[in-house]
Amino acid sequence: MFEPPVTKLPVAVLGATGTVGQRFIALLADHPWFEVVAVTGSERTAGQRYGDAVQWIQSTPLPATVAAMTIAHDIPSRPVVMGFSALTSDVAGRLETALADQGLFVVSNASSHRMDPDVPLVVPEVNPDHLALVRHQRFGGGGALATNPNCSTIGLVLALKPLHDAFGLEAVSVVTMQAISGAGLPGVPSLAITDNVIPFIGGEEEKLESETQKILGRHLGGRVEPAAITVSAQCNRVPVVDGHLECASFRLARPATAEAIAEVLSSFTAAPQSLRLPSAPPRPVLVAERPDRPQTRLDRDAGGGMAVTVGRIRPCPLLGWKMVLLSHNTVRGAAGGALLVGELAVAQGLVAGTA
């Protein structure tokens, strides 16, 4: 039986001053397993005190211990066993592999390595077995690299997984309405997004389509066979701060009723819940009964921002069924989701020195 760490594991937050990096800092402040001992940043911020360099936008106070840390450039300033990466994709590819080769277990929120054949793309309730791909990696010192999916993909696959298991999925069409925090700092200019919807987010639709197939695919030893599910995505940026709302239509392989779909979703639990991982919500998928829910402002913080809320389950004249789902894009869709991957890696004995 798995036993949680007796002492906290030293971890670093990579790319710590941005939106997702700040979420990591906030969520790790009172974490029972992990302790932030190092933060990294760009050449512009390296050498500065974190509290002086960061434009802190979280609603919770900046932890004093982290505020006093000196930002390192690229390489954590103290020995750590795990790095939570909020690096931008233009630098993540090189730095993350270099850190893994130094023995770190890197959990990345960047897109650089998500589709690499030997890199697991993990939503812990959906495909925990995929994390075993790291055993086929060839990094030095026991290092490894795992990735967190796109923020919209995470919400979608959490809602699709129980349906796929119960009824089989053949096709999905999804239209997203994505919050401005998903664009990071400084984000979308106010005059571009105020009183407006932008029907394009570069690369987002392709990620949502390919990542869904990989995550719902089968783990076959050292590789993943993508799921034979047709996925079509259209992505839009809308003027809300946090919370990605998605309207999805789907075709099932076997007959179902609205009541059966709702029951399968609301009763869904998986490995993180049975292992009682610290960041796991008791119920990863919540079903809203009111016809006007989920709503971004009212439901994005469900389960501490780690649960997906599904509503408006009803027949679709094209694909058979449709629903609306909502997830918190910088918690479950980014930092919180990556923390849960890190916790699962510890629970599976994949992090050097914790087995």
Side-chain angles (χ1 to χ4, degrees):
M1 179 178 292
F2 165 69
E3 293 291 339
V6 177
T7 58
K8 290 190 177 184
L9 305 175
V11 303
V13 176
L14 316 173
T17 59
T19 303
V20 176
Q22 291 183 36
R23 275 287 183 196
F24 274 125
I25 298 295
L27 292 172
L28 285 163
D30 298 308
H31 198 282
W33 295 6
F34 303 136
E35 179 182 6
V36 178
V37 300
V39 291
T40 76
S42 65
E43 289 183 359
R44 180 183 59 83
T45 60
Q48 297 184 50
R49 182 176 172 273
Y50 183 80
D52 296 332
V54 70
Q55 180 187 343
W56 189 255
I57 60 170
Q58 305 304 309
S59 58
T60 55
L62 170 58
T65 54
V66 178
M69 291 179 185
T70 299
I71 299 174
H73 182 224
D74 293 353
I75 307 299
S77 56
R78 291 178 57 184
V80 298
V81 299
M82 182 172 284
F84 292 104
S85 174
L87 295 168
T88 55
S89 294
D90 58 328
V91 298
R94 173 183 58 85
L95 287 177
E96 289 170 357
T97 54
L99 291 170
D101 215 28
Q102 294 182 16
L104 272 69
F105 194 110
V106 178
V107 182
S108 174
N109 195 66
S111 62
S112 306
H113 295 288
R114 286 177 187 159
M115 302 308 291
D116 291 1
D118 64 346
V119 173
L121 180 62
V122 180
V123 178
E125 287 92 344
V126 177
N127 59 339
D129 58 312
H130 288 201
L131 201 50
L133 280 175
V134 301
R135 299 188 187 278
H136 299 271
Q137 295 174 351
R138 294 293 181 265
F139 294 113
L145 174 60
T147 56
N148 199 37
N150 177 271
C151 47
S152 292
T153 304
I154 291 178
L156 180 63
V157 297
L158 272 166
L160 294 181
K161 169 64 173 178
L163 302 179
H164 191 37
D165 288 350
F167 309 110
L169 271 173
E170 295 182 343
V172 180
S173 176
V174 60
V175 176
T176 73
M177 287 155 276
Q178 299 181 215
I180 53 178
S181 59
L185 285 173
V188 184
S190 59
L191 285 178
I193 195 64
T194 302
D195 190 32
N196 198 21
V197 172
I198 302 172
F200 174 74
I201 306 172
E204 201 81 354
E205 294 168 354
E206 294 83 358
K207 293 173 189 174
L208 194 48
E209 293 168 359
S210 60
E211 291 178 13
T212 298
Q213 293 169 332
K214 181 175 180 178
I215 294 165
L216 294 176
R218 293 192 302 158
H219 174 223
L220 302 173
R223 65 184 182 89
V224 171
E225 180 183 89
I229 302 170
T230 303
V231 183
S232 175
Q234 299 183 74
C235 298
N236 307 274
R237 187 75 71 194
V238 299
V240 298
V241 176
D242 291 313
H244 286 357
L245 193 73
E246 306 181 39
C247 297
S249 292
F250 51 94
R251 183 168 64 241
L252 300 174
R254 295 180 289 279
T257 64
E259 292 75 17
I261 290 172
E263 172 60 24
V264 162
L265 290 170
S266 61
S267 63
F268 175 64
T269 58
Q273 286 70 41
S274 62
L275 291 167
R276 298 188 177 183
L277 301 182
S279 298
R283 295 287 177 181
V285 182
L286 305 175
V287 176
E289 296 183 0
R290 286 182 47 170
D292 62 347
R293 303 285 282 273
Q295 293 182 24
T296 306
R297 184 162 51 86
L298 302 180
D299 297 303
R300 62 191 167 200
D301 293 318
M306 290 293 285
V308 173
T309 303
V310 176
R312 303 208 67 211
I313 301 167
R314 61 212 191 276
C316 171
L318 288 177
L319 292 181
W321 293 99
K322 52 188 173 181
M323 61 184 175
V324 178
L325 62 105
L326 174 74
S327 61
H328 197 303
N329 56 295
T330 63
V331 182
R332 170 56 92 156
L339 284 183
L340 194 57
V341 173
E343 293 165 6
L344 181 63
V346 172
Q348 292 186 354
L350 297 172
V351 180
T354 65

